[in-house]
């Protein structure tokens, strides 16, 4: 019997295996596309756990990740803010194991002072800081307009912090305490004076026009490899769209720095910077 004839079943089996793998990958991609569409359409829940939301309240969005002891302090810092409008704290929890703890803390500490409401999203997995922007997208679809503030749960701020940030807010503006001028790479950077124009603004301790999440590209064009580098992505996209990025020289104290997941991402930050500024044209529909 010719060798070619004997090998036919093996080739057929190989084709079947490739077809099966292709079908599995296509199925997974369809599921991922469906999940993305649901998120883009705001078909996920953010629960109101304390107080009540008013249309004029300023949203303060905080991601929670492995700092369970910090939530009570964050709530008290916001209650103590000296600001002309009430605040609504929107929490995006990336650590499912801590959900019950956070719910207890919210029930025990509650609202008061400048803080009028606390909302909570229990993410089924850690999606990183992009959760801040999914929360902002949800608010925007519900009618929210104007700036929103982003804080990290490892930041202590003074009572005038949010009021001072709001003085720097505006249409198509991002202003934050963690802001730099870049010189050809992410790590080749210099600090700036207050209100000086920046190339990069970090998400922790910043005020951002909620218009940033209107275009789907903010979410769909962020490469999977870099999905935890939402700060670099936000800065690149905003600058490309002609927004103003600037330094807000305001006092902030960082605590529990050893728990910062950015330490594990340092090695790809410059890679992502190069990808955006040298190898990739970036999104166009935001």
């Amino acid at each position: 019997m010719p060798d070619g004839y004997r090998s036919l079943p093996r080739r057929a089996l190989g084709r079947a295996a490739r077809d099966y793998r292709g079908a599995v990958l296509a199925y997974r991609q369809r599921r991922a596309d469906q999940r993305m569409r649901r998120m883009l359409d705001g078909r996920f829940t953010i629960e109101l756990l304390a107080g009540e939301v008013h249309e004029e309240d300023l949203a303060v969005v905080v991601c929670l990740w492995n700092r369970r002891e910090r939530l009570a302090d964050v709530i008290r810092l916001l209650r103590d803010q000296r600001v002309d409008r009430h605040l609504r704290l929107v929490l995006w929890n990336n650590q499912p194991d801590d959900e019950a703890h956070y719910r207890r803390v919210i029930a025990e500490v509650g609202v008061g002072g400048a803080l009028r409401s606390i909302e909570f999203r229990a993410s089924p997995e850690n999606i990183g800081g992009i959760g801040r922007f999914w929360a902002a997208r949800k608010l925007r679809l519900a009618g929210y307009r104007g700036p929103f503030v982003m804080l990290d749960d490892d930041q202590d701020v003074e009572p005038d912090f949010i009021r001072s940030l709001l003085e720097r807010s505006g249409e198509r503006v991002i202003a934050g305490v963690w802001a730099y001028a870049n010189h050809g790479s992410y790590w080749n950077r210099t600090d700036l004076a207050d209100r000086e124009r920046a190339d990069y603004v970090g998400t922790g301790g910043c005020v951002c026009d909620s218009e940033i999440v209107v275009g789907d590209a903010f979410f769909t064009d962020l490469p999977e490899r870099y999905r935890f580098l939402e700060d670099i992505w936000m800065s690149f996209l905003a600058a490309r769209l002609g927004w103003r990025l600037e330094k807000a020289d305001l006092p902030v104290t960082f605590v529990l720095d050893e728990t910062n997941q950015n330490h594990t991402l340092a090695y790809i930050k410059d890679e992502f910077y190069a990808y955006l500024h040298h190898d990739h044209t970036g999104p166009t529909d935001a």
Side-chain angles (χ1 to χ4, degrees):
M1 186 179 298
D3 290 343
Y5 181 83
R6 286 198 302 270
S7 65
L8 280 176
R10 187 176 302 162
R11 289 201 298 269
L13 183 61
R15 285 195 300 269
R18 289 192 296 273
D19 290 345
Y20 174 76
R21 287 194 296 269
V24 169
L25 291 174
Y27 172 76
R28 289 175 178 172
Q29 185 61 52
R30 286 196 301 272
R31 291 294 299 272
D33 292 343
Q34 290 169 357
R35 286 195 298 270
M36 176 67 76
R37 190 69 258 168
R38 287 196 299 270
M39 294 290 284
L40 289 170
D41 292 342
R43 285 180 282 160
F44 59 94
T45 301
I46 298 180
E47 300 177 69
L48 177 62
L49 296 186
E52 56 183 29
V53 175
H54 291 237
E55 183 179 347
E56 67 273 16
D57 294 350
L58 174 71
V60 180
V61 182
V62 178
C63 273
L64 302 173
W65 170 251
N66 281 353
R67 299 189 185 105
R68 49 186 287 150
E69 67 272 37
R70 283 287 300 167
L71 180 56
D73 290 335
V74 170
I75 294 173
R76 294 186 184 104
L77 287 170
L78 294 179
R79 290 175 57 159
D80 291 343
Q81 288 297 298
R82 294 191 287 258
V83 66
D84 294 334
R85 56 195 288 196
H86 282 95
L87 308 177
R88 59 186 293 191
L89 173 58
V90 183
L91 298 167
W92 185 284
N93 176 36
N94 276 321
Q95 178 50 279
D97 292 344
D98 289 339
E99 179 181 347
H101 169 78
Y102 288 137
R103 289 179 179 273
R104 284 194 300 270
V105 171
I106 293 167
E108 291 168 1
V109 181
V111 297
L115 181 61
R116 183 144 59 182
S117 62
I118 303 175
E119 297 159 88
F120 185 81
R121 165 64 181 173
S123 179
E125 61 179 324
N126 178 20
I127 65 169
I130 197 70
R132 301 178 178 94
F133 296 98
W134 282 119
R137 172 86 171 198
K138 178 76 170 182
L139 299 184
R140 183 83 187 193
L141 290 172
Y144 186 89
R145 296 295 183 270
F148 69 105
V149 170
M150 289 178 276
L151 285 178
D152 285 342
D153 55 0
D154 64 344
Q155 293 177 312
D156 282 342
V157 297
E158 300 296 322
D160 292 323
F161 179 79
I162 290 180
R163 179 186 57 77
S164 298
L165 262 185
L166 284 178
E167 292 174 355
R168 294 157 169 81
S169 66
E171 292 185 7
R172 300 166 71 85
V173 170
I174 304 174
V177 299
W178 202 252
Y180 298 98
N182 291 110
H183 309 288
S185 74
Y186 176 81
W187 294 112
N188 185 14
R189 60 192 189 183
T190 54
D191 205 353
L192 301 168
D194 188 38
R195 298 182 183 269
E196 194 171 359
R197 191 141 193 164
D199 299 310
Y200 164 86
V201 176
T203 47
C206 84
V207 61
C208 178
D209 186 351
S210 61
E211 182 77 16
I212 195 76
V213 297
V214 170
D216 291 355
F218 190 96
F219 304 96
T220 59
D221 285 10
L222 176 59
E224 176 66 20
R225 175 171 171 79
Y226 306 118
R227 68 187 179 102
F228 283 82
L229 301 178
E230 79 291 339
D231 51 346
I232 299 175
W233 180 243
M234 174 191 74
S235 299
F236 168 80
L237 177 56
R240 189 170 186 272
L241 296 173
W243 286 39
R244 178 175 177 84
L245 281 67
E246 68 175 49
K247 170 79 171 185
D249 191 10
L250 302 172
V252 171
T253 302
F254 289 88
V255 298
L256 299 178
D257 184 63
E258 67 278 4
T259 63
N260 193 332
Q261 62 182 338
N262 275 336
H263 294 317
T264 63
L265 301 171
Y267 74 101
I268 63 169
K269 288 189 174 185
D270 212 34
E271 175 188 310
F272 189 30
Y273 182 95
Y275 168 82
L276 291 173
H277 292 272
H278 303 298
D279 307 326
H280 187 58
T281 57
T284 59
D285 69 338

